[in-house]
Amino acid sequence: MRGDQRKLEVVTALPAATVLTGLLLTALLLCGCAWWAIRARSRQRWEAQAAERARAAYALAVKREREGHRRFLARLDHELKNPVTAIRAAAASGGAQSGERCAEGKGVWAVVDAQSAKLAGLVGDLRKLAELETRALEYETVDLAGVLKEAVADLAHVRPDVSARISLSVISVPWQVPPLQADLDLLSLALDNVLSNAAKYSDSGPIEVRLREQDGWAVIEVADSGRGVPQDDQPYVFAELARANNVRDVPGSGIGLTLAATVIRRHGGDVALRSVEGAGTVVTLWLPVRV
């Protein structure tokens, strides 16, 4: 009545060859995975080393290009300075002997003196550019809004016709532009050149200067409603001596924007230009915010 309790045992025995085959396949699989992992890591290291070599080669090429550029500017300054000085001296002497008054801009000698003075100014600007590329930056805490206010006021003082049509807008909502670590003298030079450029090529109409913080950058925009830059000339506006085809009637050396771009880039920033011929131009400067 209590039932019959029995225990059933089933013993399965695998052949030794099957076991060994399974172990071998497992070992091969593990070795294959390890080999692929090692190969992947090796490839990653090789790619990282190749990328590092490429970056180093590019940095060396840029450094050599800049050094060659500085040497060229230094040679140009050396070769032109003395001849220009001699021409100016000869113009002054010749004008005095012939009874011309160069200061009044009359006569052949006056023309020679005026053109040699223009060339002397160009040589001075090129010398200044070469010095900017090598001068050590003297960092200090800079209130960018205050620097812009001073630059706008200086331009209005030099160009009274601009004072009524230039405005400064500092965006402080939802946050203000924090102070920057920058070389104040060089930064002021860059801003003065950009503002002067806007005033030079816009005889009338508003000039707006805007400052804001965006994604860790202080962004400065200088917008004018002047003659604008032809599209074909826009890729070259920051190059030395570059001048648009529609501004040949306006005196200038084509160095102003180059100076500004050099200063901004030496601070770790960048520059850009947007323009429509006959409508106006916006020059944008980016400076990294270091809190």
Side-chain angles (χ1 to χ4, degrees):
M1 295 295 293
R2 281 183 252 166
D4 187 7
Q5 296 182 356
R6 298 183 183 184
K7 181 161 106 177
L8 177 64
E9 292 184 1
V10 178
V11 178
T12 303
L14 294 175
T18 304
V19 174
L20 291 175
T21 301
L23 292 175
L24 180 60
L25 290 175
T26 302
L28 289 174
L29 180 61
L30 292 174
C31 289
C33 292
W35 181 79
W36 278 108
I38 293 172
R39 183 177 179 182
R41 286 196 295 269
S42 298
R43 184 173 182 82
Q44 289 174 352
R45 284 196 299 269
W46 181 85
E47 290 177 348
Q49 292 170 356
E52 183 62 30
R53 287 194 296 269
R55 285 193 294 269
Y58 176 76
L60 180 60
V62 170
K63 181 180 179 181
R64 288 176 175 173
E65 182 181 358
R66 289 177 177 174
E67 289 176 351
H69 181 243
R70 286 194 291 268
R71 287 195 297 269
F72 167 74
L73 292 178
R75 288 196 306 270
L76 186 64
D77 174 43
H78 177 73
E79 294 296 330
L80 292 180
K81 183 170 57 178
N82 291 336
V84 168
T85 302
I87 292 171
R88 298 205 68 189
S93 176
Q97 291 178 7
S98 63
E100 291 184 3
R101 299 184 62 184
C102 293
E104 296 179 358
K106 298 177 181 179
V108 175
W109 288 110
V111 173
V112 173
D113 182 70
Q115 293 302 312
S116 60
K118 179 180 179 181
L119 186 56
L122 176 59
V123 171
D125 286 341
L126 290 173
R127 184 187 309 119
K128 186 184 298 182
L129 179 60
E131 292 172 352
L132 284 178
E133 293 183 344
T134 56
R135 168 182 162 176
L137 299 181
E138 299 177 1
Y139 285 103
E140 60 181 285
T141 302
V142 173
D143 174 18
L144 197 51
V147 175
L148 281 171
K149 289 177 184 178
E150 185 175 346
V152 169
D154 289 343
L155 178 62
H157 178 73
V158 175
R159 294 279 305 270
D161 61 300
V162 176
S163 60
R165 55 191 181 93
I166 189 169
S167 62
L168 172 62
S169 173
V170 179
I171 300 176
S172 58
V173 177
W175 46 74
Q176 297 181 345
V177 178
L180 306 177
Q181 293 299 311
D183 187 311
L184 179 57
D185 291 338
L186 292 186
L187 188 56
S188 297
L189 175 66
L191 295 175
D192 289 342
N193 274 279
V194 175
L195 291 176
S196 298
N197 220 54
K200 182 187 296 185
Y201 299 116
S202 59
D203 298 330
S204 61
I207 299 174
E208 297 183 0
V209 183
R210 302 185 284 265
L211 170 64
R212 69 180 187 277
E213 191 277 340
Q214 178 179 323
D215 299 329
W217 296 87
V219 183
I220 304 168
E221 292 180 334
V222 178
D224 66 67
S225 52
R227 62 182 68 187
V229 181
Q231 186 173 3
D232 292 342
D233 294 326
Q234 292 181 23
Y236 314 105
V237 292
F238 294 106
E240 299 94 332
L241 308 180
R243 303 197 72 207
N245 290 320
N246 63 341
V247 298
R248 301 299 181 184
D249 59 313
V250 181
S253 63
I255 295 292
L257 287 181
T258 309
L259 290 173
T262 300
V263 171
I264 297 300
R265 286 169 179 159
R266 287 207 62 198
H267 281 80
D270 204 356
V271 296
L273 177 140
R274 292 180 292 126
S275 188
V276 176
E277 188 174 7
T281 301
V282 180
V283 176
T284 305
L285 313 176
W286 288 274
L287 286 165
V289 175
R290 300 182 178 92
V291 182

